[in-house]
Amino acid sequence: MNRERDEERERYERAEALRVLPSTPDPELPAGRLEARRRHLLAELEREAEPAAVGEESRRGWRRPRIAFAVGATTAVLGLGLALGLYGSPALRDAPPPASAGSVRLLERAALAAAARPQVPVSAGQYAYMKVTGHTTVLSENASGGMDRMREAEDMEQWTSVDGSRPTLQRKDGQDTMLPSGPDGGSLHSPTYAYAAGLPTDPGALLKLIHEDAEENHGAGSGSTTGPDQAAFIAIGDLLRSAVVPPGTTAALYRAATRIPGVVVVPDAVDAAGRRGTAVARVHDGERAEWIFDRATARFLGTRTVLTEDSAWGRRGTVVASLAVTGSGISDTAGGTPVVRDR
């Protein structure tokens, strides 16, 4: 008699659970993710059946339903359905995955190549030399209220005081312009050789520093739509493209990037100088930011931004910005020929 009552109760609980638990509208998950969630659920089910503490539930972000501890195999099936429904919610489903295996391999190869290069000798009073070619795109409002796109050439040479103590000389379109020096010693967005040399060479510590800056300028409440992860990825690319960076720091920057979620490989990319290579990239808000590397040497060539969807900036596939490094080194004078070439 007791057994019959238990079976009847089990049938009731099963039917009630199917009635109240929502169906999962999401498409079928890849086998790897489904298996990972299954293992996570089974580990949860092996725990004792007492209700979790309020603080623990808050940290996990969801409450274990009491029915999940009612009866063995039935419980596992019902719990799996609920877990997939919750974990498949748009907020969690849209979270970017870790950097892809291919991007990690390429960045590690680039890090090893950078670390193997000899240290450029630098002394006070010298200038870091950078030569860049490429273009950016500018939007401007026209007389009728519409938006016009304008492509602007960014071909230039630049001499930056290694410690930021003197003005920067920029040569563009045959004209020299003296730019005021940035913050003392340089900064992440106005880098000098001395600033780059002083950065942590531990990838975790380096990414923490970069991410803190990105969080401050592009995090919650900032009004920015870029987001901290994308901002960190772009900041590293800008630093590599705009400054002479010591080999150890360059290697650390590449390894830090492997810890940014959403980084992938673009097998074929062409820089602004027409050099074909392979890129690591990150997509955000309809744009793909790329760092392009030489296929043979894994040397950094430049950056590129490509539209992944139609927008005011152009049609999908449009390259809205492309900047390639064609020369770098150390010069004794602003405007002088580099005495030591880094490339």
Side-chain angles (χ1 to χ4, degrees):
M1 190 71 171
N2 289 338
R3 180 179 178 182
E4 291 177 356
R5 281 200 301 268
D6 289 343
E7 290 177 349
E8 182 179 356
R9 181 180 179 184
E10 181 178 333
R11 286 194 296 272
Y12 170 77
E13 289 179 338
R14 185 187 304 171
E16 185 66 10
L18 292 174
R19 182 182 69 81
V20 300
L21 293 177
S23 60
T24 305
D26 300 301
E28 183 175 346
L29 293 167
R33 291 180 63 192
L34 183 60
E35 176 62 20
R37 292 175 185 179
R38 186 188 70 80
R39 289 196 303 269
H40 174 78
L41 174 71
L42 293 177
E44 288 289 304
L45 292 176
E46 288 174 0
R47 295 185 182 186
E48 295 183 2
E50 290 84 17
V54 172
E56 185 181 353
E57 290 175 348
S58 299
R59 286 192 296 273
R60 282 198 306 270
W62 58 279
R63 292 182 181 273
R64 262 182 268 172
R66 290 187 62 189
I67 196 168
F69 299 91
V71 283
T74 302
T75 306
V77 173
L78 294 175
L80 182 59
L82 178 60
L84 292 182
L86 290 173
Y87 282 112
S89 63
L92 292 175
R93 186 180 65 243
D94 293 342
S100 72
S103 70
V104 172
R105 285 194 297 269
L106 176 55
L107 287 165
E108 179 58 24
R109 183 170 166 242
L112 292 172
R117 290 200 300 271
Q119 174 74 46
V120 176
V122 177
S123 60
Q126 290 185 307
Y127 290 81
Y129 169 78
M130 297 292 292
K131 185 176 182 179
V132 175
T133 186
H135 77 276
T136 55
T137 303
V138 177
L139 279 181
S140 60
E141 186 175 359
N142 56 37
S144 61
M147 300 301 292
D148 290 333
R149 292 188 299 273
M150 183 181 302
R151 177 168 164 152
E152 291 192 349
E154 297 291 348
D155 300 348
M156 70 177 73
E157 294 175 279
Q158 188 161 293
W159 291 259
T160 304
S161 170
V162 294
D163 58 5
S165 62
R166 303 178 186 182
T168 294
L169 171 64
Q170 185 179 92
R171 181 169 295 161
K172 189 174 182 180
D173 297 328
Q175 296 186 347
D176 289 354
T177 303
M178 299 303 294
L179 306 176
S181 57
D184 290 343
S187 69
L188 182 61
H189 303 290
S190 183
T192 63
Y193 182 89
Y195 174 81
L199 288 171
T201 53
D202 173 75
L206 181 55
L207 182 60
K208 182 176 183 292
L209 182 151
I210 294 169
H211 213 277
E212 284 175 351
D213 177 87
E215 189 71 45
E216 179 180 352
N217 293 294
H218 300 278
S222 66
S224 171
T225 60
T226 302
D229 288 331
Q230 187 74 355
F233 184 80
I234 292 172
I236 294 174
D238 287 349
L239 177 59
L240 293 166
R241 191 198 67 239
S242 61
V244 176
V245 181
T249 308
T250 301
L253 288 167
Y254 294 144
R255 290 176 174 136
T258 67
R259 305 181 182 209
I260 299 176
V263 178
V264 297
V265 166
V266 177
D268 188 46
V270 181
D271 76 358
R275 299 173 296 192
R276 191 170 296 276
T278 303
V280 295
R282 195 174 190 281
V283 177
H284 178 80
D285 201 20
E287 295 183 354
R288 185 175 68 240
E290 300 177 355
W291 308 346
I292 304 174
F293 295 90
D294 183 277
R295 284 200 182 108
T297 65
R299 185 74 178 253
F300 177 82
L301 299 179
T303 61
R304 189 171 75 157
T305 303
V306 183
L307 297 181
T308 58
E309 58 188 49
D310 296 347
S311 72
W313 294 96
R315 304 285 293 176
R316 177 182 178 182
T318 300
V319 178
V320 292
S322 184
L323 298 165
V325 180
T326 57
S328 62
I330 299 296
S331 173
D332 286 336
T333 60
T337 301
V339 292
V340 179
R341 287 194 175 271
D342 191 38
R343 67 176 69 207

